[in-house]
């Protein structure tokens, strides 16, 4: 039992995981949180249900890490997805596994995740100072000496002594939950380099007008994101059309691979509406449908193949007159229709920004953090966790597991006795 004084800036997913891990080692833990309650961002994840992790096997899980996957190995080995599921079960809040191995509380209430964490912190005697801002790390002779804090109401500043400081203040996404970049500022002040910060897991804007299809959800489609001829992303699943472009799970994941490129130029999104069929098989399927609809207008013949809201878009792109009778559609036109349905393309011009982003891509440079401990290589006793780190993943519970794993490792390492 270390008895060290650990201060944590941020009482979100990573901060709470760090607090529990440090307190379990016997450290005296104080958590600083600028909001009026802990885990504010957790409450809105997974549309209020909280997709708290993903039950994929180790290798499959690590394949979903987009940025700096190798850096994450040690943290994941120390506290993985099965450990997080076990923590919830032991805390009296059972979980369930849904499509795509996504894990949710059985209750479908994100508040159960926050409650499990806060109850454990209370039992361990963790002190939480709400409505309190972290101002500046106090560094003496190259190591952490404390943290300067300020009350949000009284504006009074004071220093809390610390043997170690864990920065877990989140990124820039969902600024209404308190993610306003304070941690990045403090990391820079401590001498760290912060990589370019970009919105990720975010809806995308297209140059083409998608408003007629707003609200249309496509399931079991394949999307590809292309930069010229280079394939940036490929995925299978569900997407959604919006009034400004595209969204949904596939698009959110694609956005993380596209973020840096979109800062420079537009990209091309290609949608395969029938990924289970080759072009030849799809042409044969269209021919069968046409045989039963010979005297109908072309625009009225696609109901068995496509959702109603998508038909006008496909008819327009096919260059086949909407009122042409099916029996007058040529073989070449039919084949072009099959090719179109395998490659419906849009020009992606931008992401929607941090206000709609689920996570932040970028953060404290991983080269300046020890992956085995989450400790700064520049300042002794300074640790990082969660979105503070240049580490992110696709959608599906992977990013919250990054928070749990890096938080746990930071807390364990900070509380460990000095060698």
């Amino acid at each position: 039992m270390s008895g060290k004084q650990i201060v944590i800036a941020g009482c979100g997913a990573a901060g709470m995981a760090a607090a529990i891990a440090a307190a379990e080692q016997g450290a005296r833990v104080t958590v600083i949180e600028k909001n009026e309650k802990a885990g504010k961002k957790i409450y809105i994840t997974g549309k209020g249900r909280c997709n708290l992790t993903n039950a994929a096997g180790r290798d499959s899980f690590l394949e979903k890490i987009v940025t700096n996957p190798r850096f994450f190995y040690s943290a994941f080995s120390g506290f993985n997805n099965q450990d997080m599921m076990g923590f919830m079960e032991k805390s009296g809040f059972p979980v369930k596994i849904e499509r795509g191995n996504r894990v949710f509380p059985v209750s479908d209430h994100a508040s159960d995740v926050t409650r499990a964490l806060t109850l454990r912190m209370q039992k361990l005697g963790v002190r939480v100072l709400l409505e309190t801002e972290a101002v500046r790390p106090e560094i003496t002779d190259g190591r952490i000496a404390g943290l300067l804090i300020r009350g949000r109401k009284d504006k009074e500043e004071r220093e809390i002594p610390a043997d170690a400081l864990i920065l877990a203040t989140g990124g820039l996404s969902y600024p209404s939950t308190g993610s306003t970049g304070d941690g990045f500022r403090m990391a820079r002040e401590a001498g760290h380099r912060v990589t370019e910060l970009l919105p990720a897991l975010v809806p995308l804007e297209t140059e083409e007008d998608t408003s007629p299809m707003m609200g249309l959800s496509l399931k079991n489609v394949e999307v590809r994101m292309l930069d010229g001829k280079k394939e940036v992303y490929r995925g299978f699943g569900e997407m959604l059309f919006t009034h400004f472009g595209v969204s949904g799970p596939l698009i959110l994941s694609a956005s993380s691979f596209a973020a840096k490129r979109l800062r420079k130029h537009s990209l091309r999104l290609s949608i395969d509406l029938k990924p289970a069929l080759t072009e030849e098989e799809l042409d044969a399927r269209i021919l069968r449908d046409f045989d039963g609809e010979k005297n109908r207008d072309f625009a009225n013949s696609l109901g068995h193949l496509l959702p109603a809201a998508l038909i006008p878009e496909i008819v327009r792109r096919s260059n086949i007159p909407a009122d042409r009778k099916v029996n007058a559609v040529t073989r070449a036109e039919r084949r072009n229709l099959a090719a179109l349905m395998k490659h419906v393309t849009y020009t992606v011009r931008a992401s929607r920004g941090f206000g709609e982003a689920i996570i932040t891509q970028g953060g404290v440079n991983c080269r300046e953090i020890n992956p085995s401990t989450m400790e700064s290589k520049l300042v002794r006793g300074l640790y990082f966790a969660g979105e503070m780190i240049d580490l992110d993943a696709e959608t599906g519970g992977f990013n919250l597991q990054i928070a749990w794993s890096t938080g746990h490792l930071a807390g364990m390492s900070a509380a460990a006795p000095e060698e």
Side-chain angles (χ1 to χ4, degrees), residues 341-353:
M341 291 171 63
K342 296 288 289 182
H343 305 280
V344 183
T345 61
Y346 291 89
T347 303
V348 177
R349 64 185 179 194
S351 74
R352 292 290 282 180

Side-chain angles (χ1 to χ4, degrees), residues 66-67 198-205 223-226 232-235 244 246-263 267 269 348 350-353 356-361 392-395 399:
V66 175
T67 309
L198 299 167
L201 299 189
V202 63
L204 299 174
E205 295 181 357
V223 305
R224 300 165 66 219
M225 189 71 77
L226 300 160
V232 177
Y233 171 81
R234 181 194 292 255
F244 54 77
V246 286
S247 187
L250 274 179
I251 300 302
L252 296 182
S253 285
S255 73
S256 288
F257 291 88
K260 290 184 174 66
R261 296 170 187 268
L262 280 175
R263 291 293 290 266
L267 300 177
L269 175 70
V348 177
S351 74
R352 292 290 282 180
E356 296 181 40
I358 295 175
I359 62 162
T360 302
Q361 189 172 85
D392 64 274
E394 295 182 39
T395 188
N399 287 285

Side-chain angles (χ1 to χ4, degrees), residues 131-210:
E131 297 187 277
T132 304
E133 296 177 338
V135 179
R136 182 179 66 246
E138 299 294 347
I139 301 170
T140 303
D141 296 329
R143 70 166 299 125
I144 288 294
L147 176 68
L148 185 67
I149 64 172
R150 178 172 55 227
R152 294 195 71 180
K153 292 180 178 177
D154 59 20
K155 303 300 180 184
E156 181 182 335
E157 293 188 353
R158 62 188 177 95
E159 182 184 332
I160 303 180
D163 296 306
L165 168 65
I166 301 172
L167 292 181
T169 57
L172 294 174
S173 57
Y174 290 120
S176 61
T177 64
S179 299
T180 53
D182 300 340
F184 299 130
R185 171 185 56 77
M186 289 187 281
R188 289 189 185 101
E189 290 172 355
H192 278 278
R193 187 166 75 86
V194 175
T195 63
E196 185 179 14
L197 302 173
L198 299 167
L201 299 189
V202 63
L204 299 174
E205 295 181 357
T206 60
E207 289 185 5
E208 297 83 1
D209 180 16
T210 56

Side-chain angles (χ1 to χ4, degrees), residues 6 34 56-57 68 101 116 142-143 151 166 235 240 280 282 319 328 367 389 409:
I6 309 297
K34 69 157 76 169
N68 295 313
N101 282 318
R143 70 166 299 125
I166 301 172
L240 174 73
E280 291 74 17
L282 180 54
N319 293 319
R367 294 179 181 177
I389 304 169
L409 180 54

Side-chain angles (χ1 to χ4, degrees), residues 105-127:
V106 167
S107 66
D108 283 330
H109 292 146
S111 56
D112 279 2
V113 179
T114 309
R115 192 173 297 119
L117 295 160
T118 52
L119 286 173
R120 183 61 180 156
M121 288 196 300
Q122 288 169 4
K123 188 173 183 180
L124 290 166
V126 173
R127 182 172 63 142

